[in-house]
């Protein structure tokens, strides 16, 4: 996980507590509740220090504010972190105690933060946390929750891709489009299935060679991740880790559109300008991958998978609007996404002040 040396502190709350069961630090950062409760994942991760964990929570919670606002959700931005000790990922009783310690931290915020799953945590973990606090989403289906968000995230990426293809090639249809999906995990494999179903010509890659079976099953070309990143295709879909587009490979990409699920695809945000200058349309990752958040947000009311699907399909229009704005204002789609989010936040603050 990249270290962020400087982080602007414009957050509402930062809670750091030493767990009474484990002595491990659990952290929640609430960046903003201007638009609603701060819903954000809980990351269980090994950091160099607990201060690094707090820094990550501050950075990620801020990003969640912009993601929710740009997607028009009545949600704020928050993030949770459980700072793991060195060694293997905890299991059994130790894991349970860590989750209960984190639940105590969530509970002291009385609902300004609502937890969901993230890197290192699962729907089953959410069920454990629910034993202590009610401020939990992302519960398993059998407990009335929305379960694994990945299929909805994948659907959202498809919808974003349609908007990008309409903008770049004049048609949203994915039939016959050449698409390279890099990373065939939970989201990437669902995405590959949807794209194959839509008639796209697929290239699939992953560092895990066992994913090759999926490529064979879907009639996709299998390659290594570096070749997948540099493939000459209509659309590149990064679906593994962040920072995959950097100063070194930005000039070597041969795609016309970048649209995938990975968080923080650009090693730094200035690369959005470089991509635009090279004629590559970069779909802001936090809009393209918002399907999971949109799905889980519906748990706060009466969850209905049909409704979730319809709302996730709305990402096509959200992305189309951003691309129109970007063109009209001569800015990148990433800048347009931030601008839209800021406008929504400012409008909500004005309404709150006038009350
Ligand atoms: P995952 O862990 O299930 O899958 C990641 C896959 O990437 C694995 O198969 C792994 O082997 C592969 N991989 C790792 N390093 C790689 C590399 N260098 N090159 C190619 N492949 C590599 O994760 P996921 O849930 O599918 O999430 C994928 C990305 O999407 C992450 O960045 C995640 O933060 C983001 N995301 C996921 C969701 C969701 O609903 N799961 C929602 C929003 C964003």
């Amino acid at each position: 996980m990249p270290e962020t040396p400087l982080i602007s502190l414009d957050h509402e709350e930062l809670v750091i507590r030493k767990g009474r069961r484990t002595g491990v630090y659990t952290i929640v950062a609430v960046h903003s509740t201007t638009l609603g409760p701060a819903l954000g994942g809980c990351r269980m991760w090994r950091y160099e220090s607990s201060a690094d964990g707090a820094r990550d929570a501050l950075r990620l919670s801020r990003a969640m504010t912009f993601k929710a606002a740009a997607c028009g959700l009545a949600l704020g931005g928050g993030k949770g972190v459980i700072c793991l000790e060195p060694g293997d990922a905890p299991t059994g009783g130790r894991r349970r105690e860590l989750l209960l310690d984190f639940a105590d931290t969530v509970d002291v915020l009385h609902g300004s933060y609502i937890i969901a799953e993230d890197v290192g945590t699962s729907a089953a973990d959410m069920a454990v946390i629910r034993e202590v606090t009610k401020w939990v989403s992302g519960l398993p289906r059998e407990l009335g929750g929305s379960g694994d968000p990945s299929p909805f995230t994948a659907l959202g990426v498809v919808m974003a891709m349609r908007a990008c293809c309409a903008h770049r090639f004049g048609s949203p249809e994915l039939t016959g489009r050449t698409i390279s999906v890099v990373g065939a995990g939970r989201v990437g494999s669902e995405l590959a299935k949807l794209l194959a179903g839509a008639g796209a010509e697929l290239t699939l890659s992953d560092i895990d060679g066992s994913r090759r079976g999926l490529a064979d099953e879907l009639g996709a070309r299998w390659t290594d991740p570096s070749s997948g990143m540099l493939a000459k295709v209509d659309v590149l879909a990064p679906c593994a880790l962040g920072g995959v587009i950097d100063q070194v490979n930005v000039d070597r990409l041969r795609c016309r559109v970048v649209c995938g699920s990975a968080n923080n695809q650009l090693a730094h945000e200035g690369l959005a300008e470089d991509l635009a200058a090279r004629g590559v349309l970069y779909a802001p990752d936090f809009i393209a991958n918002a399907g999971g958040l949109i799905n889980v947000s519906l748990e706060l009311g009466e969850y209905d998978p049909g409704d979730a699907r319809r709302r996730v399909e709305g990402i096509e229009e959200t992305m189309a609007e951003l691309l129109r704005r970007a063109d009209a204002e001569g800015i990148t789609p990433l800048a347009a996404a931030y601008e839209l989010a800021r406008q929504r936040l400012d409008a909500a603050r004005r309404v709150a002040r006038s009350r």
Side-chain angles (χ1 to χ4, degrees), residues 149-150 153 182-188 206-208 225 239-241 261-263 289:
S150 309
T153 304
V182 180
R186 286 177 299 181
V187 181
D206 197 294
I207 47 165
D208 178 355
C239 294
L241 306 179
S261 78
N263 275 315
N289 70 18

Side-chain angles (χ1 to χ4, degrees), residues 149-168:
S150 309
F152 289 94
T153 304
L155 174 63
V157 175
V158 170
M159 303 317 292
M161 243 180 224
R162 286 176 54 85
C164 292
C165 286
H167 198 80
R168 174 75 356 135

